[in-house]
Amino acid sequence: MLQTDPCILLIFGASGDLTQRKLVPAMYEMHVMGQLHPATVVLGTARREKTDDAWRDELKPWVAKSARGFDEAKWNEFAKRIFYIAGDGTKAEFYQPLDARLSALAKEHGTRGNLLIFLSVAETLYEPIVEQIDAAGLVVEGKRWCSIDPSAKSWQRIIVEKPFGRDSATAISLNRTLGRAFEEESIYRIDHYLGKELVQSLLVLRFGNSIFEPLWNCQYIDHVQITAAETVSVGQRTAFYDATGAIRDMIQSHLFQILAFVAMEPPSLYTPENVRAEKIKIIDAISIPEGDEVARHCALGQFAADSTEGAYDKLVGVAPGSTTETYAAIKVHFDNWRWAGTPFYIRSGKKLATKRTEVVVQFKPPAANLFRKVPGFGGETPNRLVIEVAPRERLQLRFEVKVPGFGLRGANVDMELDYADHFKAEPIEAYGPLIVDAMRGDQTLFKHRIEVEGAWNAVMPFLDQRSAMARSTIHANYACGSWGPASADELLGRDGRAWRNEA
Ligand code: BG6
């Protein structure tokens, strides 16, 4: 097994929801699975004063709840490697005590100068923290912040969580600030959807087989649907969500990662450079709608009231009359040879009928239908590949067969691979393998600066004043537990298509 280097994982935002619910449980899982170097240390930092033990006690119930197969003894073993330091990462004076603590931990645990920083704080704090890290003398080539053993080769890397800016301009500014402190090879823009097994499996399915790729183009594929439906509401995050919305929260980030893997050209070799280069190219090939096209290429919605809470724009923390979307569907076209004329419909929303993330690849009907005069044939176009990413992990390929018996009748059947049944493996928390990749220096599943900026350019018409018309009827325009606003059905209906809304 490829082992990580010994290192310190320094988490800014130790008291945050992401750290408790995802990051530490994921690190615990990685520890149990033997993926971490035994000397790995986790150092959390946040403003509130607390001891190492107090932080460990706070984390334990979260890990017990979120990590699979919680084991008290294994937790105790891992908890010994968890530490805490209080301080304000945006203030210069914090960096002297932080340096001293890092140096002491590195000496004690033998992590050398290796340091992986995880920014798990509010997006507005990213730049101030990175500026302080830079000013403190950290991560300048050849210069070590935490120089325990000056002769030892060491690395310092940074993982930046989404939202990576809120538009092209803020993403460029953040990239510049990061670029002043870190080399591009040391910057890991994380998207936890790329840690999901079935998202990674997309590349193997496409490029590890010969049966799909010849058909994977506009000649044979009618359209693609990418869905991330959630049943949850916005919870305690109203202020964050109201400034964000479904396009920023899910589409520009997570669903564009899936989009890139479904649509990109095959890299010549599976290396970080080649994979990332192809993703940059395909995001750059998105055709950006103009004028009236913007409203015709999207459907935006807000959930109505139900028995548990009011309509979105009436929630505490949401600006009265807010037009932030809790549901968005957009239609994407690529200006390239492979996909000319084949639309990709992408949708995501809160409080929908079910929790499901999936890709539906709908193939075109056979070029000539020799059964067209046979009664009982015809109807639905058969071939469809469904890649279900969550909550179940499965692949489903639909095709037409003859119904056994006399006469000639056709039926659509599905051939299915259920990952849990077949591989006897439950899904693991997506953050774990990604953080381990960053510890190994593997950037394949992290976003490049240019890709992030390109993704913002592609969604901006649906976010800025050009989307005003699409937002004019947004309030309470879909019922909780439904599949979104009627305008989303019309988006596909205008093209003679329908969403796959199967339970
Ligand atoms: C997060 C979004 O990035 O992803 C949340 O901020 C969303 O709003 C979540 O609920 C969905 O992630 P998953 O892994 O549950 O599909």
mmCIF file of all heavy atoms in Angstrom, residues 251-287:
data_model
loop_
_atom_site.group_PDB
_atom_site.id
_atom_site.type_symbol
_atom_site.label_atom_id
_atom_site.label_comp_id
_atom_site.label_asym_id
_atom_site.label_seq_id
_atom_site.Cartn_x
_atom_site.Cartn_y
_atom_site.Cartn_z
ATOM 1 N N ILE A 251 -23.938 23.514 -8.475
ATOM 2 C CA ILE A 251 -23.725 23.322 -9.918
ATOM 3 C C ILE A 251 -22.326 23.747 -10.354
ATOM 4 O O ILE A 251 -21.578 22.958 -10.938
ATOM 5 C CB ILE A 251 -24.834 24.028 -10.729
ATOM 6 C CG1 ILE A 251 -26.166 23.312 -10.450
ATOM 7 C CG2 ILE A 251 -24.505 24.025 -12.230
ATOM 8 C CD1 ILE A 251 -27.350 23.792 -11.246
ATOM 9 N N GLN A 252 -21.935 24.986 -10.043
ATOM 10 C CA GLN A 252 -20.609 25.471 -10.490
ATOM 11 C C GLN A 252 -19.506 24.590 -9.909
ATOM 12 O O GLN A 252 -18.446 24.444 -10.507
ATOM 13 C CB GLN A 252 -20.429 26.935 -10.048
ATOM 14 C CG GLN A 252 -19.163 27.605 -10.552
ATOM 15 C CD GLN A 252 -17.951 27.392 -9.651
ATOM 16 O OE1 GLN A 252 -18.063 26.863 -8.550
ATOM 17 N NE2 GLN A 252 -16.798 27.797 -10.138
ATOM 18 N N SER A 253 -19.765 24.040 -8.744
ATOM 19 C CA SER A 253 -18.732 23.252 -8.067
ATOM 20 C C SER A 253 -18.914 21.764 -8.354
ATOM 21 O O SER A 253 -18.341 21.231 -9.313
ATOM 22 C CB SER A 253 -18.790 23.542 -6.569
ATOM 23 O OG SER A 253 -20.145 23.479 -6.116
ATOM 24 N N HIS A 254 -19.736 21.112 -7.546
ATOM 25 C CA HIS A 254 -19.830 19.649 -7.604
ATOM 26 C C HIS A 254 -20.289 19.107 -8.960
ATOM 27 O O HIS A 254 -19.710 18.172 -9.508
ATOM 28 C CB HIS A 254 -20.818 19.151 -6.551
ATOM 29 C CG HIS A 254 -20.474 19.576 -5.156
ATOM 30 N ND1 HIS A 254 -19.183 19.645 -4.696
ATOM 31 C CD2 HIS A 254 -21.256 19.929 -4.107
ATOM 32 C CE1 HIS A 254 -19.194 20.030 -3.425
ATOM 33 N NE2 HIS A 254 -20.433 20.218 -3.047
ATOM 34 N N LEU A 255 -21.377 19.688 -9.490
ATOM 35 C CA LEU A 255 -21.942 19.057 -10.692
ATOM 36 C C LEU A 255 -21.105 19.330 -11.931
ATOM 37 O O LEU A 255 -21.094 18.522 -12.866
ATOM 38 C CB LEU A 255 -23.414 19.460 -10.860
ATOM 39 C CG LEU A 255 -24.297 19.041 -9.679
ATOM 40 C CD1 LEU A 255 -25.761 19.218 -10.002
ATOM 41 C CD2 LEU A 255 -24.035 17.602 -9.249
ATOM 42 N N PHE A 256 -20.360 20.431 -11.921
ATOM 43 C CA PHE A 256 -19.446 20.654 -13.045
ATOM 44 C C PHE A 256 -18.281 19.662 -13.015
ATOM 45 O O PHE A 256 -17.673 19.374 -14.049
ATOM 46 C CB PHE A 256 -18.924 22.098 -13.036
ATOM 47 C CG PHE A 256 -19.763 23.027 -13.877
ATOM 48 C CD1 PHE A 256 -21.119 22.805 -14.064
ATOM 49 C CD2 PHE A 256 -19.201 24.128 -14.505
ATOM 50 C CE1 PHE A 256 -21.899 23.649 -14.848
ATOM 51 C CE2 PHE A 256 -19.962 24.987 -15.296
ATOM 52 C CZ PHE A 256 -21.312 24.748 -15.472
ATOM 53 N N GLN A 257 -17.953 19.146 -11.853
ATOM 54 C CA GLN A 257 -16.909 18.113 -11.794
ATOM 55 C C GLN A 257 -17.404 16.836 -12.466
ATOM 56 O O GLN A 257 -16.687 16.193 -13.224
ATOM 57 C CB GLN A 257 -16.521 17.825 -10.329
ATOM 58 C CG GLN A 257 -15.817 18.982 -9.662
ATOM 59 C CD GLN A 257 -14.624 19.447 -10.468
ATOM 60 O OE1 GLN A 257 -13.725 18.669 -10.757
ATOM 61 N NE2 GLN A 257 -14.613 20.706 -10.871
ATOM 62 N N ILE A 258 -18.658 16.505 -12.182
ATOM 63 C CA ILE A 258 -19.240 15.319 -12.826
ATOM 64 C C ILE A 258 -19.350 15.582 -14.325
ATOM 65 O O ILE A 258 -18.986 14.742 -15.151
ATOM 66 C CB ILE A 258 -20.622 14.995 -12.212
ATOM 67 C CG1 ILE A 258 -20.469 14.692 -10.723
ATOM 68 C CG2 ILE A 258 -21.265 13.831 -12.953
ATOM 69 C CD1 ILE A 258 -21.767 14.284 -10.028
ATOM 70 N N LEU A 259 -19.828 16.778 -14.662
ATOM 71 C CA LEU A 259 -19.971 17.146 -16.072
ATOM 72 C C LEU A 259 -18.635 16.969 -16.811
ATOM 73 O O LEU A 259 -18.577 16.397 -17.909
ATOM 74 C CB LEU A 259 -20.423 18.612 -16.154
ATOM 75 C CG LEU A 259 -20.518 19.230 -17.542
ATOM 76 C CD1 LEU A 259 -21.678 18.613 -18.311
ATOM 77 C CD2 LEU A 259 -20.722 20.757 -17.462
ATOM 78 N N ALA A 260 -17.569 17.446 -16.198
ATOM 79 C CA ALA A 260 -16.258 17.365 -16.854
ATOM 80 C C ALA A 260 -15.856 15.903 -17.080
ATOM 81 O O ALA A 260 -15.365 15.539 -18.152
ATOM 82 C CB ALA A 260 -15.198 18.085 -16.006
ATOM 83 N N PHE A 261 -16.087 15.055 -16.090
ATOM 84 C CA PHE A 261 -15.700 13.645 -16.238
ATOM 85 C C PHE A 261 -16.555 12.939 -17.302
ATOM 86 O O PHE A 261 -16.093 12.044 -17.988
ATOM 87 C CB PHE A 261 -15.814 12.908 -14.897
ATOM 88 C CG PHE A 261 -14.570 13.014 -14.046
ATOM 89 C CD1 PHE A 261 -13.567 13.916 -14.359
ATOM 90 C CD2 PHE A 261 -14.383 12.197 -12.937
ATOM 91 C CE1 PHE A 261 -12.415 14.020 -13.592
ATOM 92 C CE2 PHE A 261 -13.239 12.286 -12.161
ATOM 93 C CZ PHE A 261 -12.260 13.200 -12.481
ATOM 94 N N VAL A 262 -17.812 13.353 -17.423
ATOM 95 C CA VAL A 262 -18.674 12.708 -18.429
ATOM 96 C C VAL A 262 -18.289 13.186 -19.835
ATOM 97 O O VAL A 262 -18.317 12.414 -20.783
ATOM 98 C CB VAL A 262 -20.170 13.030 -18.182
ATOM 99 C CG1 VAL A 262 -21.041 12.451 -19.293
ATOM 100 C CG2 VAL A 262 -20.628 12.486 -16.842
ATOM 101 N N ALA A 263 -17.911 14.466 -19.949
ATOM 102 C CA ALA A 263 -17.789 15.049 -21.290
ATOM 103 C C ALA A 263 -16.360 15.168 -21.814
ATOM 104 O O ALA A 263 -16.167 15.337 -23.017
ATOM 105 C CB ALA A 263 -18.433 16.439 -21.285
ATOM 106 N N MET A 264 -15.348 15.082 -20.939
ATOM 107 C CA MET A 264 -13.987 15.412 -21.405
ATOM 108 C C MET A 264 -13.428 14.380 -22.396
ATOM 109 O O MET A 264 -13.918 13.258 -22.503
ATOM 110 C CB MET A 264 -13.043 15.539 -20.207
ATOM 111 C CG MET A 264 -12.678 14.235 -19.567
ATOM 112 S SD MET A 264 -11.807 14.558 -18.015
ATOM 113 C CE MET A 264 -10.699 13.158 -18.017
ATOM 114 N N GLU A 265 -12.400 14.798 -23.097
ATOM 115 C CA GLU A 265 -11.695 13.902 -24.017
ATOM 116 C C GLU A 265 -10.806 12.968 -23.208
ATOM 117 O O GLU A 265 -10.407 13.298 -22.086
ATOM 118 C CB GLU A 265 -10.811 14.727 -24.969
ATOM 119 C CG GLU A 265 -11.591 15.584 -25.930
ATOM 120 C CD GLU A 265 -12.508 14.759 -26.833
ATOM 121 O OE1 GLU A 265 -12.048 13.736 -27.376
ATOM 122 O OE2 GLU A 265 -13.687 15.130 -26.988
ATOM 123 N N PRO A 266 -10.442 11.814 -23.758
ATOM 124 C CA PRO A 266 -9.549 10.925 -23.004
ATOM 125 C C PRO A 266 -8.155 11.527 -22.861
ATOM 126 O O PRO A 266 -7.582 11.968 -23.859
ATOM 127 C CB PRO A 266 -9.486 9.653 -23.870
ATOM 128 C CG PRO A 266 -10.082 10.014 -25.177
ATOM 129 C CD PRO A 266 -10.895 11.245 -25.024
ATOM 130 N N PRO A 267 -7.630 11.578 -21.643
ATOM 131 C CA PRO A 267 -6.236 12.026 -21.500
ATOM 132 C C PRO A 267 -5.312 10.946 -22.073
ATOM 133 O O PRO A 267 -5.706 9.779 -22.152
ATOM 134 C CB PRO A 267 -6.043 12.125 -19.986
ATOM 135 C CG PRO A 267 -7.361 11.830 -19.358
ATOM 136 C CD PRO A 267 -8.241 11.197 -20.371
ATOM 137 N N SER A 268 -4.107 11.326 -22.486
ATOM 138 C CA SER A 268 -3.230 10.299 -23.077
ATOM 139 C C SER A 268 -2.704 9.350 -22.015
ATOM 140 O O SER A 268 -2.335 8.219 -22.311
ATOM 141 C CB SER A 268 -2.079 10.954 -23.832
ATOM 142 O OG SER A 268 -1.415 11.840 -22.976
ATOM 143 N N LEU A 269 -2.680 9.787 -20.767
ATOM 144 C CA LEU A 269 -2.224 8.934 -19.671
ATOM 145 C C LEU A 269 -2.900 9.432 -18.406
ATOM 146 O O LEU A 269 -3.154 10.641 -18.285
ATOM 147 C CB LEU A 269 -0.701 9.078 -19.541
ATOM 148 C CG LEU A 269 0.052 8.034 -18.728
ATOM 149 C CD1 LEU A 269 -0.052 6.656 -19.396
ATOM 150 C CD2 LEU A 269 1.527 8.432 -18.608
ATOM 151 N N TYR A 270 -3.168 8.515 -17.467
ATOM 152 C CA TYR A 270 -3.817 8.951 -16.225
ATOM 153 C C TYR A 270 -2.768 9.585 -15.305
ATOM 154 O O TYR A 270 -2.152 8.918 -14.473
ATOM 155 C CB TYR A 270 -4.506 7.759 -15.555
ATOM 156 C CG TYR A 270 -5.350 8.149 -14.351
ATOM 157 C CD1 TYR A 270 -6.572 8.777 -14.519
ATOM 158 C CD2 TYR A 270 -4.911 7.895 -13.047
ATOM 159 C CE1 TYR A 270 -7.351 9.148 -13.430
ATOM 160 C CE2 TYR A 270 -5.684 8.265 -11.947
ATOM 161 C CZ TYR A 270 -6.900 8.894 -12.150
ATOM 162 O OH TYR A 270 -7.658 9.267 -11.067
ATOM 163 N N THR A 271 -2.519 10.850 -15.525
ATOM 164 C CA THR A 271 -1.602 11.597 -14.649
ATOM 165 C C THR A 271 -2.344 12.868 -14.241
ATOM 166 O O THR A 271 -3.243 13.321 -14.958
ATOM 167 C CB THR A 271 -0.311 12.016 -15.381
ATOM 168 O OG1 THR A 271 -0.677 12.937 -16.419
ATOM 169 C CG2 THR A 271 0.450 10.846 -15.961
ATOM 170 N N PRO A 272 -1.941 13.483 -13.127
ATOM 171 C CA PRO A 272 -2.623 14.714 -12.706
ATOM 172 C C PRO A 272 -2.612 15.768 -13.801
ATOM 173 O O PRO A 272 -3.642 16.394 -14.084
ATOM 174 C CB PRO A 272 -1.812 15.182 -11.497
ATOM 175 C CG PRO A 272 -1.080 13.985 -11.008
ATOM 176 C CD PRO A 272 -0.921 13.049 -12.165
ATOM 177 N N GLU A 273 -1.479 15.944 -14.452
ATOM 178 C CA GLU A 273 -1.372 16.998 -15.469
ATOM 179 C C GLU A 273 -2.337 16.729 -16.617
ATOM 180 O O GLU A 273 -3.058 17.621 -17.069
ATOM 181 C CB GLU A 273 0.057 17.081 -16.049
ATOM 182 C CG GLU A 273 1.146 17.462 -15.049
ATOM 183 C CD GLU A 273 1.475 16.327 -14.079
ATOM 184 O OE1 GLU A 273 1.250 15.148 -14.430
ATOM 185 O OE2 GLU A 273 1.941 16.616 -12.961
ATOM 186 N N ASN A 274 -2.369 15.489 -17.098
ATOM 187 C CA ASN A 274 -3.206 15.183 -18.257
ATOM 188 C C ASN A 274 -4.694 15.252 -17.943
ATOM 189 O O ASN A 274 -5.479 15.778 -18.734
ATOM 190 C CB ASN A 274 -2.870 13.791 -18.806
ATOM 191 C CG ASN A 274 -1.505 13.765 -19.446
ATOM 192 O OD1 ASN A 274 -0.999 14.793 -19.876
ATOM 193 N ND2 ASN A 274 -0.882 12.604 -19.487
ATOM 194 N N VAL A 275 -5.079 14.715 -16.793
ATOM 195 C CA VAL A 275 -6.510 14.726 -16.434
ATOM 196 C C VAL A 275 -6.967 16.168 -16.256
ATOM 197 O O VAL A 275 -8.000 16.591 -16.778
ATOM 198 C CB VAL A 275 -6.765 13.889 -15.152
ATOM 199 C CG1 VAL A 275 -8.198 14.086 -14.657
ATOM 200 C CG2 VAL A 275 -6.482 12.413 -15.406
ATOM 201 N N ARG A 276 -6.159 16.949 -15.543
ATOM 202 C CA ARG A 276 -6.565 18.339 -15.287
ATOM 203 C C ARG A 276 -6.589 19.161 -16.566
ATOM 204 O O ARG A 276 -7.442 20.032 -16.748
ATOM 205 C CB ARG A 276 -5.660 18.949 -14.209
ATOM 206 C CG ARG A 276 -6.076 18.456 -12.822
ATOM 207 C CD ARG A 276 -5.006 18.500 -11.761
ATOM 208 N NE ARG A 276 -4.172 19.640 -11.710
ATOM 209 C CZ ARG A 276 -4.136 20.546 -10.714
ATOM 210 N NH1 ARG A 276 -4.972 20.437 -9.700
ATOM 211 N NH2 ARG A 276 -3.289 21.518 -10.714
ATOM 212 N N ALA A 277 -5.689 18.869 -17.460
ATOM 213 C CA ALA A 277 -5.666 19.620 -18.724
ATOM 214 C C ALA A 277 -6.952 19.360 -19.513
ATOM 215 O O ALA A 277 -7.534 20.273 -20.104
ATOM 216 C CB ALA A 277 -4.446 19.225 -19.550
ATOM 217 N N GLU A 278 -7.418 18.103 -19.519
ATOM 218 C CA GLU A 278 -8.653 17.798 -20.253
ATOM 219 C C GLU A 278 -9.865 18.439 -19.589
ATOM 220 O O GLU A 278 -10.794 18.876 -20.269
ATOM 221 C CB GLU A 278 -8.851 16.282 -20.382
ATOM 222 C CG GLU A 278 -7.830 15.583 -21.265
ATOM 223 C CD GLU A 278 -7.735 16.159 -22.679
ATOM 224 O OE1 GLU A 278 -8.687 16.805 -23.156
ATOM 225 O OE2 GLU A 278 -6.674 15.978 -23.311
ATOM 226 N N LYS A 279 -9.856 18.493 -18.267
ATOM 227 C CA LYS A 279 -10.989 19.140 -17.580
ATOM 228 C C LYS A 279 -11.025 20.633 -17.907
ATOM 229 O O LYS A 279 -12.081 21.206 -18.127
ATOM 230 C CB LYS A 279 -10.887 18.920 -16.072
ATOM 231 C CG LYS A 279 -11.341 17.524 -15.659
ATOM 232 C CD LYS A 279 -11.032 17.244 -14.226
ATOM 233 C CE LYS A 279 -11.909 18.026 -13.292
ATOM 234 N NZ LYS A 279 -11.330 18.168 -11.949
ATOM 235 N N ILE A 280 -9.871 21.252 -17.932
ATOM 236 C CA ILE A 280 -9.822 22.682 -18.269
ATOM 237 C C ILE A 280 -10.413 22.881 -19.662
ATOM 238 O O ILE A 280 -11.235 23.772 -19.890
ATOM 239 C CB ILE A 280 -8.359 23.202 -18.229
ATOM 240 C CG1 ILE A 280 -7.844 23.223 -16.793
ATOM 241 C CG2 ILE A 280 -8.258 24.597 -18.862
ATOM 242 C CD1 ILE A 280 -6.366 23.552 -16.654
ATOM 243 N N LYS A 281 -10.032 22.013 -20.595
ATOM 244 C CA LYS A 281 -10.486 22.179 -21.988
ATOM 245 C C LYS A 281 -12.000 22.031 -22.114
ATOM 246 O O LYS A 281 -12.647 22.794 -22.816
ATOM 247 C CB LYS A 281 -9.800 21.137 -22.884
ATOM 248 C CG LYS A 281 -8.437 21.590 -23.372
ATOM 249 C CD LYS A 281 -8.030 20.768 -24.575
ATOM 250 C CE LYS A 281 -7.047 19.720 -24.135
ATOM 251 N NZ LYS A 281 -6.701 18.746 -25.143
ATOM 252 N N ILE A 282 -12.554 21.042 -21.422
ATOM 253 C CA ILE A 282 -13.992 20.817 -21.613
ATOM 254 C C ILE A 282 -14.806 21.919 -20.937
ATOM 255 O O ILE A 282 -15.843 22.350 -21.474
ATOM 256 C CB ILE A 282 -14.433 19.392 -21.155
ATOM 257 C CG1 ILE A 282 -15.821 19.072 -21.681
ATOM 258 C CG2 ILE A 282 -14.405 19.196 -19.668
ATOM 259 C CD1 ILE A 282 -15.922 18.904 -23.158
ATOM 260 N N ILE A 283 -14.352 22.410 -19.817
ATOM 261 C CA ILE A 283 -15.098 23.509 -19.165
ATOM 262 C C ILE A 283 -15.015 24.751 -20.052
ATOM 263 O O ILE A 283 -15.985 25.497 -20.221
ATOM 264 C CB ILE A 283 -14.559 23.775 -17.730
ATOM 265 C CG1 ILE A 283 -14.809 22.565 -16.815
ATOM 266 C CG2 ILE A 283 -15.176 25.052 -17.133
ATOM 267 C CD1 ILE A 283 -16.258 22.202 -16.555
ATOM 268 N N ASP A 284 -13.872 24.919 -20.685
ATOM 269 C CA ASP A 284 -13.690 26.065 -21.570
ATOM 270 C C ASP A 284 -14.571 25.960 -22.828
ATOM 271 O O ASP A 284 -14.889 26.965 -23.459
ATOM 272 C CB ASP A 284 -12.199 26.123 -21.959
ATOM 273 C CG ASP A 284 -11.884 27.387 -22.721
ATOM 274 O OD1 ASP A 284 -12.261 28.453 -22.228
ATOM 275 O OD2 ASP A 284 -11.290 27.287 -23.819
ATOM 276 N N ALA A 285 -14.971 24.730 -23.168
ATOM 277 C CA ALA A 285 -15.781 24.536 -24.386
ATOM 278 C C ALA A 285 -17.273 24.761 -24.147
ATOM 279 O O ALA A 285 -18.079 24.654 -25.077
ATOM 280 C CB ALA A 285 -15.555 23.123 -24.936
ATOM 281 N N ILE A 286 -17.656 25.066 -22.907
ATOM 282 C CA ILE A 286 -19.087 25.315 -22.640
ATOM 283 C C ILE A 286 -19.516 26.579 -23.372
ATOM 284 O O ILE A 286 -18.849 27.615 -23.300
ATOM 285 C CB ILE A 286 -19.354 25.463 -21.120
ATOM 286 C CG1 ILE A 286 -19.101 24.136 -20.410
ATOM 287 C CG2 ILE A 286 -20.776 25.960 -20.861
ATOM 288 C CD1 ILE A 286 -19.225 24.190 -18.902
ATOM 289 N N SER A 287 -20.632 26.465 -24.079
ATOM 290 C CA SER A 287 -21.137 27.611 -24.813
ATOM 291 C C SER A 287 -21.918 28.495 -23.831
ATOM 292 O O SER A 287 -22.806 28.020 -23.125
ATOM 293 C CB SER A 287 -22.025 27.051 -25.922
ATOM 294 O OG SER A 287 -22.969 27.960 -26.293
#
